[in-house]
Amino acid sequence: MNVSSGPAPSNGTAAATAVADPAPGVRIRPPVVDACSLVYDDAGWRVYLNRLGENAPEYLDVFSASFCRYFGAAHTAYRDALAARWQDAVDVLLPPGRPPFDLAAHLTDRQRQGVTGEFAMGSAERLPDGRTVNDWLLETVRDVRDRIHVWAGISLRDPAVALRELERSLAAGASGLCVIPFLDGTDPADPRFAPVWDAAAGARLPVWLHTGHHFARDHPSGLGNWRTVEALAGRHRELLLVAGHAGWPDVQEMLLTAARHPGVFLEFSSHRPRHMPKPGSGWEPLLHHARGMARDRVLFGTSTWVNPGPTGPLADELAALPLPTEVVTAWLSGNAEALAARAAGARRG
């Protein structure tokens, strides 16, 4: 995975900070693969935010400060709008006249942060021009898919529709899938979805699955927990599953699930590495087993807007943990690169 250069970012998102040349004797932080990235233009972001507003409006409240920092919006104006209608709050985040998405600027920012690749999460939701977000993403990054790997979003509300979107996205160049159960209000382990998982396993498409805690009060907290991953991995032995957010707070259970199933990985986006060593963080099992069963099963991710600062400092937080260099390297990029190569090799075979 590599990156190209281009002009500086101009779309109003968090500013990049250059990675300076290290002083003699200073350990160089390994390259980064962001295993949970969101790459959208404003139309795509509006679809994303609308999907939250329609299915889990609590997110627009709980993460109001994060959204405002990422989009450069005034928090007071956003909160006032949200008190009236969530749609008005989305308008505060995405006012008319914002600079258009610039792929070259995005890649330059990734290069500055030391990011050599990313798994960009799509969506089957429709844009105003009739295309899905998956369509837009696949077309936009067509020439840089060695750097931006498109993981097409599918909804499990309708098994037949999900299967068609999987097949269509695979044919168009998707290299993975993204599923968010709490937005669909469905249990991924329901036998109705077995054809979807069989197809993903047969095509060797890794699946990023939102796991663990969520804030959608209208849906059970158990949607997409470690038991879901255990059930799917046990029934579909060739399925490659990335447990998004590592199933937090049940990290130990998710890690033990991964130990039982070689196709299961943990990805910890939305959580700051610097907080992991703190007592009660819930991440103690991951750090305890970092040199053992967790070494080759953990991926670094950002979720882009949740911690709306440059990626480099987040990676630096991980590198600052008391972990061996080989573990830091594996978690920041090595495991993600190996997963992508494993899936691609199986598809070619």
Side-chain angles (χ1 to χ4, degrees), residues 175-188:
S175 55
L177 299 173
C178 168
V179 177
I180 307 177
F182 74 82
L183 290 179
D184 296 332
T186 53
D187 179 4

Side-chain angles (χ1 to χ4, degrees), residues 40 170 212 315:
Y40 303 140
L170 174 62

Side-chain angles (χ1 to χ4, degrees), residues 317-334:
E317 288 183 11
L318 179 62
L321 297 179
L323 296 171
T325 300
E326 62 270 19
V327 172
V328 172
T329 300
W331 287 11
L332 281 178
S333 57

Side-chain angles (χ1 to χ4, degrees), residues 57-89:
E58 297 83 3
Y59 275 78
L60 299 179
D61 179 18
V62 173
F63 291 102
S64 64
S66 292
F67 282 127
C68 288
R69 284 198 301 271
Y70 182 78
F71 290 102
H75 194 223
T76 300
Y78 176 88
R79 296 298 310 180
D80 289 345
L82 188 62
R85 290 194 323 151
W86 64 259
Q87 293 91 339
D88 296 339

Side-chain angles (χ1 to χ4, degrees), residues 21-303:
D21 293 333
V26 175
R27 185 173 71 171
I28 299 174
R29 190 236 304 144
V32 175
V33 174
D34 186 348
C36 183
S37 172
L38 301 177
V39 180
Y40 303 140
D41 63 359
D42 273 18
W45 276 117
R46 187 170 290 277
V47 165
Y48 177 88
L49 294 167
N50 285 349
R51 190 180 180 200
L52 287 177
E54 291 164 358
N55 299 284
E58 297 83 3
Y59 275 78
L60 299 179
D61 179 18
V62 173
F63 291 102
S64 64
S66 292
F67 282 127
C68 288
R69 284 198 301 271
Y70 182 78
F71 290 102
H75 194 223
T76 300
Y78 176 88
R79 296 298 310 180
D80 289 345
L82 188 62
R85 290 194 323 151
W86 64 259
Q87 293 91 339
D88 296 339
V90 171
D91 289 339
V92 171
L93 298 178
L94 297 170
R98 278 170 46 86
F101 174 75
D102 186 328
L103 178 61
H106 175 82
L107 291 172
T108 297
D109 173 56
R110 300 298 83 196
Q111 187 177 45
R112 287 191 180 117
Q113 304 308 314
V115 177
T116 57
E118 55 194 306
F119 301 161
M121 305 299 162
S123 165
E125 301 293 312
R126 295 281 175 182
L127 296 165
D129 64 9
R131 292 180 296 172
T132 67
V133 175
N134 292 332
D135 293 332
W136 177 88
L137 189 53
L138 285 161
E139 293 166 12
T140 298
V141 306
R142 184 188 306 278
D143 297 329
V144 291
R145 289 183 188 166
D146 60 329
R147 291 159 262 180
I148 302 178
H149 300 247
V150 177
W151 288 31
I154 61 173
S155 169
L156 293 183
R157 288 179 174 167
D158 184 319
V161 172
L163 185 58
R164 286 197 298 271
E165 185 64 17
L166 182 159
E167 293 171 342
R168 199 177 67 83
S169 297
L170 174 62
S175 55
L177 299 173
C178 168
V179 177
I180 307 177
F182 74 82
L183 290 179
D184 296 332
T186 53
D187 179 4
D190 189 312
R192 293 184 300 134
F193 304 119
V196 177
W197 304 122
D198 284 339
R204 301 303 281 168
L205 283 176
V207 181
W208 186 95
L209 180 71
H210 185 285
T211 64
H213 180 69
H214 66 78
F215 292 96
R217 291 192 295 266
D218 288 344
H219 301 305
S221 60
L223 288 179
N225 62 14
W226 68 269
R227 292 182 176 85
T228 303
V229 175
E230 171 69 36
L232 292 175
R235 294 175 196 164
H236 309 276
R237 296 300 178 92
E238 299 302 314
L239 185 61
L240 297 173
L241 279 170
V242 177
H245 315 320
W248 186 91
D250 299 322
V251 176
Q252 178 165 284
E253 289 79 1
M254 191 65 79
L255 185 58
L256 292 173
T257 299
R260 285 167 42 81
H261 300 285
V264 173
F265 298 80
L266 282 69
E267 180 275 320
F268 57 79
S269 61
S270 299
H271 296 268
R272 298 290 297 257
R274 72 183 186 190
H275 297 314
M276 290 181 173
K278 297 179 180 179
S281 71
W283 294 100
E284 297 94 335
L286 197 71
L287 300 181
H288 179 75
H289 293 288
R291 295 164 177 80
M293 61 182 174
R295 183 193 182 283
D296 299 322
R297 299 301 188 84
V298 175
L299 312 178
F300 172 88
T302 65
S303 292

